[in-house]
Amino acid sequence: MKAAALRAVARRRVLDWAELAELPLVVNTVTGSTRPELWPTGRQPQRACTAGNFDEWLEAVAAGHGVGVAPEPVAQRHTHPGIRYLRLKNAPAVPVHLALPARDAHPPAERFFTLAARTRPTAGEAPTAAGGRTPDRP
């Protein structure tokens, strides 16, 4: 059943996030951000296996253990003969953080950080840089 379901999905061009609940999920427990807990209770995918790093995750997906979810740059930069990347719609937003040196940052990096801090934060959290520094707000 698993192999047939994975082959059927691989023929598609677009997949909805909710449909992933029916497929086994390969989870990168160290550097990945996709976990079954991102789906509603009762509609979570089964964890097919876990990987301790990106390369293990990539190979587990290529070996057919399950599907993996990754941001678009992964699909652009990490081609693999055993993997086909599909566009995924209705996926939850993934939080990102701006990493900036704690001191002596390059002036354009500081300006970028200040501009980024002016955007409205999500979920009531103020944006912070690496090291926990919160920018001054005007």
Side-chain angles (χ1 to χ4, degrees), residues 1 5 7 21 34 36 38 50 58 65 82 85 98 107-108 114 124:
M1 168 72 173
R7 279 194 303 274
T34 305
L38 291 174
T50 59
L58 197 66
H65 295 297
Y85 292 98
L98 175 63
T114 300

PDB file of all heavy atoms in Angstrom, residues 1 5 7 21 34 36 38 50 58 65 82 85 98 107-108 114 124:
ATOM      1  N   MET A   1       0.831  -1.198   0.000  1.00  0.00           N
ATOM      2  CA  MET A   1       0.000   0.000   0.000  1.00  0.00           C
ATOM      3  C   MET A   1       0.870   1.255   0.000  1.00  0.00           C
ATOM      4  O   MET A   1       0.627   2.174  -0.744  1.00  0.00           O
ATOM      5  CB  MET A   1      -0.950  -0.042   1.196  1.00  0.00           C
ATOM      6  CG  MET A   1      -1.660   1.253   1.494  1.00  0.00           C
ATOM      7  SD  MET A   1      -2.908   1.612   0.279  1.00  0.00           S
ATOM      8  CE  MET A   1      -3.647   3.024   1.022  1.00  0.00           C
ATOM      9  N   ALA A   5       0.905   4.142  -2.908  1.00  0.00           N
ATOM     10  CA  ALA A   5       0.486   5.512  -2.574  1.00  0.00           C
ATOM     11  C   ALA A   5       1.580   6.506  -2.930  1.00  0.00           C
ATOM     12  O   ALA A   5       1.291   7.583  -3.470  1.00  0.00           O
ATOM     13  CB  ALA A   5       0.138   5.603  -1.089  1.00  0.00           C
ATOM     14  N   ARG A   7       3.909   6.139  -5.248  1.00  0.00           N
ATOM     15  CA  ARG A   7       3.994   6.234  -6.713  1.00  0.00           C
ATOM     16  C   ARG A   7       2.879   7.103  -7.266  1.00  0.00           C
ATOM     17  O   ARG A   7       3.094   7.913  -8.175  1.00  0.00           O
ATOM     18  CB  ARG A   7       3.947   4.836  -7.342  1.00  0.00           C
ATOM     19  CG  ARG A   7       5.284   4.114  -7.310  1.00  0.00           C
ATOM     20  CD  ARG A   7       5.286   2.899  -8.230  1.00  0.00           C
ATOM     21  NE  ARG A   7       4.226   1.942  -7.911  1.00  0.00           N
ATOM     22  CZ  ARG A   7       4.329   0.983  -7.000  1.00  0.00           C
ATOM     23  NH1 ARG A   7       5.433   0.847  -6.304  1.00  0.00           N
ATOM     24  NH2 ARG A   7       3.333   0.162  -6.768  1.00  0.00           N
ATOM     25  N   ALA A  21      -1.424  13.848   5.233  1.00  0.00           N
ATOM     26  CA  ALA A  21      -1.804  13.071   6.417  1.00  0.00           C
ATOM     27  C   ALA A  21      -2.000  11.593   6.081  1.00  0.00           C
ATOM     28  O   ALA A  21      -1.906  10.740   6.964  1.00  0.00           O
ATOM     29  CB  ALA A  21      -3.077  13.653   7.032  1.00  0.00           C
ATOM     30  N   THR A  34       9.508  20.001   9.819  1.00  0.00           N
ATOM     31  CA  THR A  34       8.235  19.321   9.613  1.00  0.00           C
ATOM     32  C   THR A  34       8.097  18.161  10.585  1.00  0.00           C
ATOM     33  O   THR A  34       8.951  17.282  10.650  1.00  0.00           O
ATOM     34  CB  THR A  34       8.127  18.797   8.166  1.00  0.00           C
ATOM     35  OG1 THR A  34       8.349  19.887   7.271  1.00  0.00           O
ATOM     36  CG2 THR A  34       6.764  18.200   7.903  1.00  0.00           C
ATOM     37  N   PRO A  36       4.793  15.604  12.563  1.00  0.00           N
ATOM     38  CA  PRO A  36       3.364  15.265  12.507  1.00  0.00           C
ATOM     39  C   PRO A  36       2.493  16.235  13.305  1.00  0.00           C
ATOM     40  O   PRO A  36       1.330  16.445  12.975  1.00  0.00           O
ATOM     41  CB  PRO A  36       3.313  13.855  13.099  1.00  0.00           C
ATOM     42  CG  PRO A  36       4.657  13.276  12.800  1.00  0.00           C
ATOM     43  CD  PRO A  36       5.606  14.440  12.931  1.00  0.00           C
ATOM     44  N   LEU A  38       2.310  19.275  13.187  1.00  0.00           N
ATOM     45  CA  LEU A  38       1.846  20.415  12.387  1.00  0.00           C
ATOM     46  C   LEU A  38       0.448  20.184  11.810  1.00  0.00           C
ATOM     47  O   LEU A  38      -0.187  21.128  11.354  1.00  0.00           O
ATOM     48  CB  LEU A  38       2.827  20.703  11.242  1.00  0.00           C
ATOM     49  CG  LEU A  38       4.183  21.260  11.648  1.00  0.00           C
ATOM     50  CD1 LEU A  38       5.091  21.366  10.430  1.00  0.00           C
ATOM     51  CD2 LEU A  38       4.032  22.605  12.318  1.00  0.00           C
ATOM     52  N   THR A  50      12.887   8.363  11.098  1.00  0.00           N
ATOM     53  CA  THR A  50      13.523   9.628  11.415  1.00  0.00           C
ATOM     54  C   THR A  50      14.927   9.646  10.829  1.00  0.00           C
ATOM     55  O   THR A  50      15.526   8.596  10.572  1.00  0.00           O
ATOM     56  CB  THR A  50      13.606   9.865  12.937  1.00  0.00           C
ATOM     57  OG1 THR A  50      14.355   8.808  13.514  1.00  0.00           O
ATOM     58  CG2 THR A  50      12.225   9.941  13.555  1.00  0.00           C
ATOM     59  N   LEU A  58      17.225  12.937   2.985  1.00  0.00           N
ATOM     60  CA  LEU A  58      17.140  12.869   1.532  1.00  0.00           C
ATOM     61  C   LEU A  58      17.178  11.423   1.051  1.00  0.00           C
ATOM     62  O   LEU A  58      16.360  11.009   0.221  1.00  0.00           O
ATOM     63  CB  LEU A  58      18.311  13.671   0.940  1.00  0.00           C
ATOM     64  CG  LEU A  58      18.239  14.094  -0.512  1.00  0.00           C
ATOM     65  CD1 LEU A  58      17.121  15.099  -0.720  1.00  0.00           C
ATOM     66  CD2 LEU A  58      19.571  14.704  -0.930  1.00  0.00           C
ATOM     67  N   HIS A  65      10.923   5.304   1.843  1.00  0.00           N
ATOM     68  CA  HIS A  65      10.398   5.094   3.198  1.00  0.00           C
ATOM     69  C   HIS A  65       9.182   5.969   3.482  1.00  0.00           C
ATOM     70  O   HIS A  65       8.366   5.643   4.335  1.00  0.00           O
ATOM     71  CB  HIS A  65      11.476   5.348   4.241  1.00  0.00           C
ATOM     72  CG  HIS A  65      12.600   4.375   4.164  1.00  0.00           C
ATOM     73  ND1 HIS A  65      12.447   3.028   4.385  1.00  0.00           N
ATOM     74  CD2 HIS A  65      13.905   4.553   3.860  1.00  0.00           C
ATOM     75  CE1 HIS A  65      13.596   2.421   4.233  1.00  0.00           C
ATOM     76  NE2 HIS A  65      14.507   3.319   3.906  1.00  0.00           N
ATOM     77  N   GLY A  82      16.580  10.036  -7.284  1.00  0.00           N
ATOM     78  CA  GLY A  82      15.484   9.253  -6.725  1.00  0.00           C
ATOM     79  C   GLY A  82      14.371  10.088  -6.117  1.00  0.00           C
ATOM     80  O   GLY A  82      13.476   9.530  -5.478  1.00  0.00           O
ATOM     81  N   TYR A  85      10.316  16.554  -6.648  1.00  0.00           N
ATOM     82  CA  TYR A  85       9.723  17.566  -5.776  1.00  0.00           C
ATOM     83  C   TYR A  85       8.405  18.048  -6.369  1.00  0.00           C
ATOM     84  O   TYR A  85       8.327  18.340  -7.560  1.00  0.00           O
ATOM     85  CB  TYR A  85      10.667  18.759  -5.622  1.00  0.00           C
ATOM     86  CG  TYR A  85      11.929  18.439  -4.864  1.00  0.00           C
ATOM     87  CD1 TYR A  85      13.116  18.161  -5.536  1.00  0.00           C
ATOM     88  CD2 TYR A  85      11.938  18.418  -3.475  1.00  0.00           C
ATOM     89  CE1 TYR A  85      14.283  17.882  -4.830  1.00  0.00           C
ATOM     90  CE2 TYR A  85      13.099  18.136  -2.767  1.00  0.00           C
ATOM     91  CZ  TYR A  85      14.264  17.867  -3.459  1.00  0.00           C
ATOM     92  OH  TYR A  85      15.408  17.590  -2.759  1.00  0.00           O
ATOM     93  N   LEU A  98      16.419  35.975  11.473  1.00  0.00           N
ATOM     94  CA  LEU A  98      17.552  36.648  10.867  1.00  0.00           C
ATOM     95  C   LEU A  98      18.760  36.450  11.774  1.00  0.00           C
ATOM     96  O   LEU A  98      18.724  36.801  12.948  1.00  0.00           O
ATOM     97  CB  LEU A  98      17.255  38.145  10.707  1.00  0.00           C
ATOM     98  CG  LEU A  98      18.392  39.015  10.183  1.00  0.00           C
ATOM     99  CD1 LEU A  98      18.780  38.573   8.771  1.00  0.00           C
ATOM    100  CD2 LEU A  98      17.983  40.471  10.194  1.00  0.00           C
ATOM    101  N   PRO A 107      27.647  47.464   8.381  1.00  0.00           N
ATOM    102  CA  PRO A 107      26.573  48.481   8.394  1.00  0.00           C
ATOM    103  C   PRO A 107      25.340  48.132   7.553  1.00  0.00           C
ATOM    104  O   PRO A 107      24.218  48.314   8.020  1.00  0.00           O
ATOM    105  CB  PRO A 107      27.279  49.743   7.891  1.00  0.00           C
ATOM    106  CG  PRO A 107      28.707  49.551   8.336  1.00  0.00           C
ATOM    107  CD  PRO A 107      28.962  48.073   8.176  1.00  0.00           C
ATOM    108  N   PRO A 108      25.478  47.608   6.326  1.00  0.00           N
ATOM    109  CA  PRO A 108      24.249  47.240   5.596  1.00  0.00           C
ATOM    110  C   PRO A 108      23.460  46.122   6.300  1.00  0.00           C
ATOM    111  O   PRO A 108      22.235  46.096   6.239  1.00  0.00           O
ATOM    112  CB  PRO A 108      24.764  46.780   4.231  1.00  0.00           C
ATOM    113  CG  PRO A 108      26.042  47.525   4.046  1.00  0.00           C
ATOM    114  CD  PRO A 108      26.647  47.575   5.428  1.00  0.00           C
ATOM    115  N   THR A 114      17.359  46.442  11.049  1.00  0.00           N
ATOM    116  CA  THR A 114      16.454  47.496  11.523  1.00  0.00           C
ATOM    117  C   THR A 114      15.182  47.525  10.678  1.00  0.00           C
ATOM    118  O   THR A 114      14.070  47.607  11.208  1.00  0.00           O
ATOM    119  CB  THR A 114      17.161  48.861  11.492  1.00  0.00           C
ATOM    120  OG1 THR A 114      18.306  48.784  12.354  1.00  0.00           O
ATOM    121  CG2 THR A 114      16.244  49.975  11.961  1.00  0.00           C
ATOM    122  N   GLY A 124       2.431  37.662  17.811  1.00  0.00           N
ATOM    123  CA  GLY A 124       2.724  38.518  18.953  1.00  0.00           C
ATOM    124  C   GLY A 124       4.159  38.492  19.426  1.00  0.00           C
ATOM    125  O   GLY A 124       4.468  38.977  20.506  1.00  0.00           O
TER     126      GLY A 124
END
